[in-house]
Amino acid sequence: MRTLALLPTLLVPAALVAQAPAPAASLGDRVKAERPIVEKLMADLKYPEAQKRAEALLPAEKPVFDKKDNQTMVQSAGLFMDLGQAYRLAVETADAAGAWEKALEYAKAAKAISAESYTSIKEPFTKTVAYYTQSGARAKQVLDENADRIKELKAKTNLDPGERQELDLALGVEKEVVESAKWVKFFQTYIDVTQRETEAYDPLVKVMEEKLKSEADQVEEYKAGKGDKLKWVEAVVSTPAYLEAQGDKAGKVRWLYRLSVLDPENKKVQKQLDLQISGKPAAAPAKPAKGKKG
């Protein structure tokens, strides 16, 4: 009996063939569509508006990671990556709008969902990679053992029914080698990408934590009002050197938005914002007309 006659037992059962991922999640499409709009708002220094648009992309509730099978895990991993990008956009805009606490919250949320995704697929996908690696190696071994016979069959112009069946089996095994390599790469890529995602948000978390700590230290060290944020805001906005230290217009506006978050009622902060954004102070409210004397 030829070795090739045993080849059907080496082919992967249809039920075990990994499913290709479903079409891109609608969230990914929405993030892609919204990003240029948000970036234009950011360029126009309209940071709070940019933040609102970015936050509108975030779901009211975190989706559940579906671990039912390889197909659902691939879909969930893709959705979680899209969600991570939505959170990243929310971090960027909240930071610019002075909502540093929100930015930190979003950065931590992005980190958490990426970690959940990686933890969910690491073990099952590693097993799947091992399965297809072994499957490909076994198929390759059969081809190597029958290389001369396969070459002989391919060289023939006319094959009898038995030879045709034999060659078809060999071609099926060749395909199996290719398919196994494809699925090894496919599932390993998901493992690698989700692992990198778990690390990608660490810098965002660190930056926001450091900014908040630095600010808290400055407020605490302000001698004229130790620990009083409102007094600190009043002091720094009343000192031109602080504003000049923020660099270009975008840096100044970002800093002023942060002050406005700390003290929304501070008129000096709002005046400076109006000056930076429009180049002129906001118009003073009209005084009521005096009544005529009788």
Side-chain angles (χ1 to χ4, degrees):
M1 181 182 294
R2 296 189 182 95
T3 306
L4 283 175
L6 301 177
L7 292 183
T9 63
L10 300 182
L11 300 180
V12 180
L16 294 179
V17 175
Q19 298 294 314
S26 59
L27 176 59
D29 294 334
R30 289 172 58 206
V31 172
K32 185 177 180 180
E34 281 292 309
R35 180 170 285 279
I37 300 174
V38 170
E39 289 177 348
K40 178 63 169 60
L41 290 171
M42 295 277 279
D44 293 340
L45 309 182
K46 297 178 180 180
Y47 301 139
E49 292 178 45
Q51 181 187 351
K52 288 180 180 179
R53 289 198 76 107
E55 288 177 333
L57 294 168
L58 303 178
E61 295 183 3
K62 182 180 75 65
V64 175
F65 196 100
D66 191 342
K67 304 177 186 178
K68 184 176 67 175
D69 54 37
N70 279 346
Q71 182 176 6
T72 61
M73 285 189 286
V74 165
Q75 292 171 340
S76 290
L79 174 59
F80 273 44
M81 279 189 274
D82 289 341
L83 185 55
Q85 290 305 306
Y87 272 114
R88 177 181 286 276
L89 195 60
V91 172
E92 295 169 0
T93 56
D95 176 28
W100 292 359
E101 292 82 2
K102 275 288 185 183
L104 177 58
E105 176 188 330
Y106 295 146
K108 287 182 175 180
K111 169 72 176 178
I113 62 171
S114 63
E116 181 182 349
S117 182
Y118 176 59
T119 301
S120 297
I121 71 169
K122 181 181 178 182
E123 183 177 351
F125 281 14
T126 297
K127 290 180 178 178
T128 301
V129 167
Y131 173 83
Y132 281 110
T133 299
Q134 184 181 29
S135 174
R138 290 170 64 189
K140 179 66 165 56
Q141 182 181 358
V142 171
L143 291 176
D144 291 342
E145 292 173 352
N146 293 274
D148 291 341
R149 177 58 176 166
I150 295 171
K151 184 178 180 180
E152 177 187 340
L153 291 170
K154 287 183 176 180
K156 285 192 173 185
T157 304
N158 297 310
L159 299 173
D160 63 37
E163 289 173 330
R164 167 51 59 189
Q165 182 181 28
E166 196 176 349
L167 181 57
D168 287 343
L169 288 171
L171 294 176
V173 177
E174 288 180 349
K175 182 179 179 181
E176 183 61 28
V177 171
V178 174
E179 287 294 304
S180 293
K182 181 184 76 173
W183 291 120
V184 166
K185 181 178 180 181
F186 178 85
F187 287 103
Q188 187 61 52
T189 297
Y190 267 90
I191 294 172
D192 295 341
V193 169
T194 53
Q195 182 178 19
R196 286 198 298 269
E197 285 281 299
T198 65
E199 303 166 357
Y201 299 105
D202 288 336
L204 294 180
V205 173
K206 184 178 180 181
V207 165
M208 296 316 306
E209 287 179 338
E210 289 179 347
K211 289 176 73 168
L212 285 164
K213 183 180 184 304
S214 176
E215 179 184 82
D217 290 343
Q218 292 179 53
V219 173
E220 186 63 27
E221 293 167 4
Y222 176 54
K223 295 180 181 180
K226 194 172 184 180
D228 190 322
K229 289 184 179 181
L230 300 186
K231 288 184 179 180
W232 178 78
V233 169
E234 179 66 21
V236 295
V237 77
S238 299
T239 307
Y242 280 97
L243 182 61
E244 291 306 312
Q246 307 310 313
D248 61 8
K249 179 182 286 190
K252 292 173 182 177
V253 172
R254 291 168 73 105
W255 182 70
L256 288 166
Y257 271 125
R258 176 55 185 169
L259 295 185
S260 72
V261 168
L262 295 175
D263 185 2
E265 302 300 321
N266 192 296
K267 294 182 179 180
K268 290 182 181 179
V269 171
Q270 189 57 54
K271 180 180 179 181
Q272 285 296 334
L273 266 174
D274 293 334
L275 279 170
Q276 292 297 323
I277 295 174
S278 66
K280 55 185 179 181
K287 295 182 180 180
K290 294 182 179 180
K292 296 181 179 180
K293 294 182 180 180

